[in-house]
Amino acid sequence: MGDEGTPFNFQGRVNKRIVRSFDDDMGFIRRVNPYKCEIDLGFVPGMNVKGTFYVNSALQELLYDELRCSCGSGESGSYGGFLPAVRQLANVAALPGIVQKSIGLPDLHSGYGFAIGNVAAFDMSNPESIVSPGGVGFDINCGVRLLRTNLTEKEVGPVREQLAQSLFDHIPVGVGSKGVIPMTASDLDAALEMGIDWSLQEGYAWAQDKEHCEEFGRMLQADPSKVSGRAKKRGLPQLGTLGAGNHYCELQVVDEVYDWFAARRMGIERLGQVCVMIHSGSRGLGHQVASDSLTAMEAAMMRDGIVTNDRQLACAKISSQEGQDYLAAMAAAANYAWVNRSSMTFLVRQALGKHFQQAPDDLDINVVYDVSHNIAKVEQHMVDGQLKTLLVHRKGSTRAFPPHHPLI
């Protein structure tokens, strides 16, 4: 889900870890049904709500092996630099203002502060509720974009090596890679504020692209002035670059369709249809926004007397200046990520159009969806029968909508 960053040298107060054997730890975890487990209160100090995670038997063993290894790793309880995901899930359940549960989705695994696959919501009406960069991740708005084409596996198969090389030639990859999209400092500020609307304005996106993006490709609360000069310096040359780690731009083939009605609505019309998937985020700019905010929040925690169970859960009250500054900067970094994926979409269209000597619109290279898996957003949800405004942290997880939801 993107770079999880380097450990932050946090100097604030944390609760002392309860040291137990693996068997004693397992006494707090119970299976509710074949795919759902709960972590009872008391597993870690100060839990406000229970933890819940969804796993099958195979994934469950991976989680429990991680926990078993940590039980023999000394006072810190960390293993490989991070706490086990189950303990991280419980530590999030102890954060001020959390509602209902700390939720772990399938493929939950340890990350920085929050586990990757952790979802946690905080009541905006509670003055003690917090926001934590660890609940978003260092690669803010790391996300996935799927593009469809009217090409088929039969057409692409014989030339896939050449196509892969063409994509590689058009889209810079690797740590510190520099983009080919020209951008000035004023352009960057506009992109941070406008998101995909900047890409539309500059001709790097099609009008219909934003209709298929989460938040329509723009978070309106973004404030470029809250993004540090160092973050902007890192982001300026990286627009339209993939990055490294688990990021990719991949040619894919539709192999199986579960719902033909839904697939056809999205332009997926036949088996063997070729698609392109892009997985990337906000690059060095987002990483720096997270690092800057962690430093500011350390002082805020000491001032406001906030104590957590993990140094990596540095946070600030949502209503505090530090909390508001982070949310504004995070939104700007999220907008950068949408511009980044839009820029790579432009480059994919150029690469495929050049190879097949057709206009990109003739190849039907359209966005099917663009969804983030590292973000915090203000949303309204029913909690205990009441409509609540919540700040929902999603790390390594995406929002899902029921049928007929107004946002879709």
Side-chain angles (χ1 to χ4, degrees):
M1 307 305 158
D3 181 14
E4 272 295 274
T6 54
F8 172 58
N9 186 25
F10 177 72
Q11 300 297 321
R13 293 171 54 206
V14 295
N15 289 319
K16 186 176 180 179
R17 178 186 168 232
I18 300 172
V19 180
R20 285 189 297 256
S21 69
F22 173 72
D23 289 339
D24 287 340
D25 271 351
M26 290 301 298
F28 288 87
I29 301 173
R30 56 190 176 86
R31 180 164 287 283
V32 178
N33 61 45
Y35 302 103
K36 178 181 177 182
C37 296
E38 283 193 345
I39 307 169
D40 288 332
L41 302 182
F43 183 67
V44 299
M47 289 177 67
N48 298 307
V49 296
K50 292 182 178 181
T52 297
F53 56 97
Y54 298 85
V55 289
N56 59 21
S57 56
L59 292 173
Q60 173 187 292
E61 289 311 308
L62 293 175
L63 281 178
Y64 290 169
D65 283 346
E66 192 180 60
L67 181 61
R68 184 181 292 109
C69 289
S70 77
C71 288
S73 60
E75 185 73 17
S76 69
S78 65
Y79 182 74
F82 299 127
L83 293 173
V86 173
R87 200 175 306 283
Q88 290 184 319
L89 203 66
N91 285 338
V92 169
L95 291 174
I98 189 169
V99 300
Q100 287 201 325
K101 294 175 182 178
S102 173
I103 300 170
L105 301 181
D107 196 27
L108 182 75
H109 53 289
S110 62
Y112 186 94
F114 281 57
I116 298 169
N118 195 176
V119 180
F122 297 81
D123 186 355
M124 296 282 287
S125 67
N126 182 347
E128 302 302 314
S129 291
I130 59 88
V131 57
S132 175
V136 173
F138 279 82
D139 193 3
I140 296 167
N141 191 8
C142 186
V144 167
R145 173 177 290 207
L146 180 67
L147 310 174
R148 69 171 189 254
T149 76
N150 58 19
L151 297 166
T152 65
E153 184 178 14
K154 185 177 180 180
E155 293 171 299
V156 168
V159 294
R160 62 182 182 180
E161 296 295 332
Q162 297 96 309
L163 277 179
Q165 185 60 52
S166 179
L167 291 171
F168 191 83
D169 291 341
H170 279 76
I171 301 174
V173 301
V175 177
S177 53
K178 295 184 178 180
V180 296
I181 304 296
M183 175 167 273
T184 64
S186 60
D187 287 332
L188 178 59
D189 277 345
L192 294 175
E193 181 179 354
M194 297 172 64
I196 198 174
D197 288 334
W198 181 87
S199 301
L200 282 167
Q201 175 183 285
E202 299 298 318
Y204 296 119
W206 296 350
Q208 62 267 35
D209 290 351
K210 68 179 293 181
E211 301 299 320
H212 301 280
C213 289
E214 183 176 4
E215 297 290 318
F216 299 103
R218 178 181 184 180
M219 293 188 77
L220 298 176
Q221 62 268 47
D223 184 350
S225 71
K226 302 301 183 182
V227 178
S228 71
R230 185 176 181 186
K232 292 177 180 179
K233 183 177 180 180
R234 293 181 66 178
L236 190 60
Q238 292 187 329
L239 195 64
T241 66
L242 197 60
N246 62 353
H247 292 165
Y248 58 82
C249 176
E250 186 173 82
L251 288 168
Q252 300 181 341
V253 175
V254 177
D255 184 60
E256 186 175 2
V257 173
Y258 295 97
D259 184 336
W260 276 110
F261 177 79
R264 290 190 175 103
R265 290 295 298 269
M266 292 183 276
I268 307 298
E269 298 178 339
R270 58 191 177 276
L271 298 181
Q273 185 171 342
V274 172
C275 297
V276 181
M277 182 171 280
I278 299 170
H279 174 206
S280 190
S282 51
R283 305 288 283 111
L285 183 140
H287 194 291
Q288 192 63 49
V289 166
S291 298
D292 293 340
S293 299
L294 288 168
T295 302
M297 287 182 182
E298 177 185 354
M301 290 179 71
M302 297 177 71
R303 179 194 68 214
D304 295 336
I306 300 173
V307 181
T308 66
N309 290 329
D310 182 6
R311 290 175 172 81
Q312 295 178 356
L313 287 175
C315 57
K317 294 179 180 181
I318 297 172
S319 57
S320 70
Q321 188 64 55
E322 294 83 1
Q324 291 297 303
D325 286 352
Y326 171 71
L327 289 172
M330 182 213 68
N335 286 347
Y336 180 95
W338 277 307
V339 173
N340 192 35
R341 290 196 287 274
S342 294
S343 299
M344 284 185 280
T345 298
F346 170 80
L347 296 171
V348 167
R349 287 166 172 159
Q350 295 297 305
L352 295 184
K354 181 179 179 181
H355 183 89
F356 289 100
Q357 296 186 344
Q358 294 186 56
D361 55 343
D362 290 335
L363 293 173
D364 191 32
I365 308 175
N366 274 289
V367 176
V368 177
Y369 63 78
D370 182 302
V371 64
S372 169
H373 49 244
N374 278 5
I375 206 160
K377 296 196 299 183
V378 177
E379 300 168 6
Q380 289 190 318
H381 294 273
M382 296 299 293
V383 179
D384 298 327
Q386 292 186 326
L387 186 64
K388 292 273 190 178
T389 300
L390 307 175
L391 180 66
V392 184
H393 296 63
R394 291 189 181 88
K395 182 174 182 183
S397 54
T398 62
R399 188 174 186 184
F401 295 103
H404 312 300
H405 192 282
L407 289 180
I408 57 172

